[in-house]
Amino acid sequence: MTLDLTLSVFRAIGEETRLRIMALLTKGELTVSEITTILGQSQPRVSRHLKILADAGMTERHREGAWMFYRITVKAQTDPSLAAILDAVAAMSRSEDRILVRDSERFAQSRAARAAQAAAYFQDNAKEWNRLRRLHLPESDIEKRIVNMAGDDHFDVFVDLGTGTGRMLEIFADRYEAGVGYDLSHEMLALARANLEKANVGHAQARHGDLFSLPMEPGSADVVCVHQVLHYLAEPDEAVREAARLLKPGGRLIISDFAPHELEFLRDEHAHRRLGFSDDEVRSWCDASGLDLKNVETLSPASNEKKKLTVKIWLCEAPADVRRLRSRSAA
Ligand SMILES: C[S@@+](CC[C@H](N)C(=O)[O-])C[C@H]1O[C@@H](n2cnc3c(N)ncnc32)[C@H](O)[C@@H]1O
């Protein structure tokens, strides 16, 4: 890093509000209104500081519908000198400074409030979920493509993240020896158990668990599936990282979600946080988790379809090379 660049970075972060913003963004991406609420400052003021950080190459934004998300740039995360500065900023937010500790607490409260909002939605809509999930495209088309993505072979262990009513455990049932689906919602899990019993799927279990930290050994799953879950999460990349941790060498992760869209009402009425994902974004999560993005399927709605949601299926693979796998889990 040149002296000029170093100086411009220090000038950008060398101010209280901007340093607090950087400390927050080291924890994860945030919308401008979340930053405003956490800092207790006006939106114009926060936006002005964010612009200064962006001009110094430290932050970037991306708009999704009515929401603007801010995050630390890839360059700042990967350049060794900038990454060292970010580490120091992150360490400060774990310090005993009263303001930074309060910001961290508010960050945690903001994330918890989002998660509670989504959980309340699933609690209220558990019984309706099988009808709601059909709002996108004919479900049978998607399911056929998802199962095909896993290949023709029979495998040992199947894990479904955010299993909901257990549908993925059901449609993959004749492919695996043992299946386990995790979910945070007890209402969803009750339905999943009833559905599995009805479908005679005795070799799968529905268990309570947070998909960000699952009670499973690293390298224990052949296939992991995450179907229509990531758009509810504040950190979808972390969910992919946890899925990658679970995979055996050569194991496969199947992600099914929406392509980028503009249906803002899904946020207000259906607790979505993200309006779909691009291939590039999914590839960047794979890269960060040591997975290879092997295949992408795009299922577009018929042109006369009103809702116009395109469903994507991404097939990601863990390297068969054990050394690459080791460095992945060490990262
Ligand atoms: C839209 S439903 C999808 C269910 C299922 N995959 C399907 O396709 O029918 C999303 C599910 O993710 C679950 N979920 C959300 N956050 C979670 C978390 N952190 N850990 C585990 N499950 C989570 C919700 O409770 C909900 O059941």
Side-chain angles (χ1 to χ4, degrees), residues 149-184:
M149 273 283 208
D152 296 331
D153 51 335
H154 196 85
F155 47 87
D156 290 335
V157 178
F158 176 73
V159 181
D160 185 25
L161 307 186
T163 195
T165 54
R167 183 67 187 155
M168 295 299 115
L169 290 169
E170 221 179 301
I171 66 170
F172 276 95
D174 58 359
R175 309 292 293 281
Y176 58 78
E177 284 297 309
V180 54
Y182 289 98
D183 207 287
L184 274 182

Side-chain angles (χ1 to χ4, degrees), residues 135-159:
L135 289 178
H136 327 127
L137 269 175
E139 200 60 26
S140 58
D141 292 359
I142 302 173
E143 291 181 350
K144 227 180 278 159
R145 307 280 272 274
I146 290 177
V147 176
N148 287 345
M149 273 283 208
D152 296 331
D153 51 335
H154 196 85
F155 47 87
D156 290 335
V157 178
F158 176 73
V159 181

